[in-house]
Amino acid sequence: MRFKTEKRSRTVQHTRDGITHDVTEPYDVRVPVLPADWDQRAIKAAVAVVMLLTTVAVVWSTYSIGALLEGGMGYAAAAVFDAAWIVNVLLEYLARYDAEKRAFSKKLGWGLLICTMGAIFWHGLLAGSVALGVVGAAVSLFAKVLWMGIMRFINRDLSEADQQWVKAEISRSNAQLAIAGVRRQVARAENRAALELLAAEQTRTEVAEWIGSTAPAVEAPAAPAAVSAGSSTASALTSAPEGDAATLRRRDVTNPGNPLFQAPVIRKDDDGYPADDEFAQVSEPDNVHAIRPDVRPAPETTPEPPAASADDDDRVPEQKPRRISIASAVRKAVADGVTDAETIVRSLGERFDRKEDPTFAATVKRYVREAKNDQADDQAHGLYL
């Protein structure tokens, strides 16, 4: 066995003045010389010769077929014949492990070769020389038959079991590739669906905002002062269109947001104080005002009614001064700037001597909320007197 000397390099540590660095150091090593692979050299030489012959065949066939097609673009069309055959040879090389695919490439190669040889022979006949046609066609035949011989050394024939194993591995890999592609398509479709839903929601929101900004305000019809609260409520509710909940709420005279809303009257006990039972205090609503109820605090004393005429038998008896009601006291406190419910409960609890009464505290807090809502409506729309 022969040996040869090769120069290689390695990293070593080099120290100067107490400082160490890694440096590269060359060295020689003897390695055995491998014997020449004459098989590889032979196949490479054969491929080189066949490629040279193929180049000559391509040039000759292109010239002959191009002249047959009257030159010009005919030469470009003639190049298609040999280009198709070369592509087929590459396909046969890629199918060197698959006998079925390789068989199709062989059949296709013979068909392309016959077409090319026929066109070259036809050109020789038109040129008036049978020898030109035969020899020209033989050039392509020799070059391409040599390629088929080389492919027999390149092709790798497998046993039946090995072929099944290779097909199973290829099938598994193709299945993974197909699953990845399908998952990508599913992800793309899901993302598209999510974007469509977001776009639909955005459109619905914009339409709702546009309707809310452009819809005309519902005006409450004026009601005569003599009409009772029951008839006003019925007419307001029946006049609203079916299914229009917003309109029903606006026209419901028992709703504090309705311009026709009138606070319920607080019933008094025998001593002139509000009744202990919160629900017993609410009486039937008074007549509905045409525009908006008067939310101003009630006076401390009720003014005396005007004297009745001599012809009026139903005289109003003289009324005694009465204490202010809880609702009036709460509205007055809120109007004075006191908005804390606990503070108002403590103040009115001492005033009405009901500091330990939970029902009284709940009633006061409810009146505070109503007074705040009325005050907010007055600030937003103006006070209607």
Side-chain angles (χ1 to χ4, degrees):
M1 179 179 292
R2 295 186 306 166
F3 289 87
K4 64 178 179 179
T5 303
E6 292 183 354
K7 283 189 172 295
R8 299 181 181 179
S9 61
R10 59 189 172 188
T11 302
V12 297
Q13 293 183 346
H14 185 69
T15 304
R16 286 288 185 271
D17 296 334
I19 301 175
T20 302
H21 291 286
D22 293 335
V23 297
T24 301
E25 179 185 56
Y27 69 98
D28 296 334
V29 62
R30 284 172 56 84
V31 295
V33 178
L34 299 178
D37 189 352
W38 292 104
D39 293 339
Q40 289 294 325
R41 293 183 179 181
I43 194 67
K44 289 180 181 178
V47 169
V49 173
V50 173
M51 288 184 65
L52 179 61
L53 295 177
T54 302
T55 302
V56 175
V58 168
V59 172
W60 178 257
S61 62
T62 302
Y63 168 77
S64 299
I65 299 175
L68 180 64
L69 299 176
E70 298 180 356
M73 291 300 296
Y75 291 106
V80 174
F81 286 80
D82 290 304
W85 191 90
I86 293 174
V87 171
N88 183 73
V89 172
L90 295 177
L91 294 178
E92 185 177 353
Y93 172 78
L94 295 176
R96 61 188 179 277
Y97 298 114
D98 194 335
E100 295 181 0
K101 294 181 179 179
R102 192 167 63 242
F104 173 78
S105 297
K106 289 181 178 180
K107 295 177 181 179
L108 181 60
W110 280 110
L112 295 174
L113 176 60
I114 292 173
C115 292
T116 303
M117 292 176 60
I120 295 174
F121 182 73
W122 188 7
H123 172 259
L125 293 180
L126 293 179
S129 175
V130 177
L132 180 63
V134 173
V135 174
V139 172
S140 296
L141 177 64
F142 292 160
K144 295 175 183 180
V145 168
L146 289 174
W147 269 114
M148 293 178 183
I150 291 177
M151 293 303 299
R152 291 181 63 86
F153 286 91
I154 295 177
N155 296 333
R156 298 292 183 264
D157 294 328
L158 303 177
S159 65
E160 185 66 24
D162 291 338
Q163 288 181 2
Q164 294 180 8
W165 187 90
V166 170
K167 289 181 179 180
E169 285 294 303
I170 294 176
S171 176
R172 182 181 60 84
S173 302
N174 291 336
Q176 293 178 352
L177 183 62
I179 291 173
V182 170
R183 287 179 177 175
R184 186 173 184 180
Q185 293 178 4
V186 170
R188 188 185 299 112
E190 290 178 350
N191 293 338
R192 181 64 181 175
L195 292 176
E196 290 291 341
L197 291 176
L198 291 176
E201 182 66 19
Q202 179 66 21
T203 303
R204 187 192 65 80
T205 303
E206 293 177 355
V207 171
E209 292 178 354
W210 178 82
I211 293 176
S213 61
T214 58
V218 179
E219 298 181 357
V227 180
S228 63
S231 60
S232 299
T233 303
S235 61
L237 292 176
T238 55
S239 61
E242 295 182 1
D244 192 351
T247 306
L248 292 177
R249 287 195 299 270
R250 290 178 58 88
R251 296 185 178 183
D252 184 6
V253 296
T254 62
N255 184 5
N258 189 355
L260 303 180
F261 170 74
Q262 183 178 14
V265 178
I266 306 302
R267 293 186 181 277
K268 309 299 187 299
D269 54 14
D270 296 337
D271 298 330
Y273 294 96
D276 292 335
D277 189 359
E278 178 182 359
F279 297 98
Q281 295 178 8
V282 181
S283 64
E284 295 183 0
D286 296 336
N287 294 338
V288 180
H289 295 283
I291 305 299
R292 188 176 177 85
D294 189 359
V295 297
R296 294 175 297 179
E300 294 292 338
T301 59
T302 303
E304 295 183 0
S309 61
D311 298 334
D312 190 0
D313 295 334
D314 297 332
R315 296 183 179 181
V316 179
E318 183 179 358
Q319 298 183 5
K320 297 180 180 181
R322 58 186 178 87
R323 297 179 60 179
I324 187 172
S325 64
I326 298 176
S328 299
V330 170
R331 287 197 297 270
K332 187 175 185 305
V334 173
D336 292 339
V338 181
T339 59
D340 184 56
E342 296 295 337
T343 302
I344 298 176
V345 168
R346 289 195 299 270
S347 176
L348 296 184
E350 295 177 357
R351 182 174 179 181
F352 290 95
D353 195 16
R354 297 176 67 177
K355 295 187 292 183
E356 304 299 333
D357 188 355
T359 303
F360 177 80
T363 303
V364 172
K365 291 179 180 180
R366 180 168 61 84
Y367 288 153
V368 170
R369 291 193 299 269
E370 294 176 357
K372 289 181 180 180
N373 292 336
D374 293 341
Q375 191 177 47
D377 292 340
D378 292 340
Q379 291 176 357
H381 305 288
L383 183 63
Y384 291 83
L385 299 179

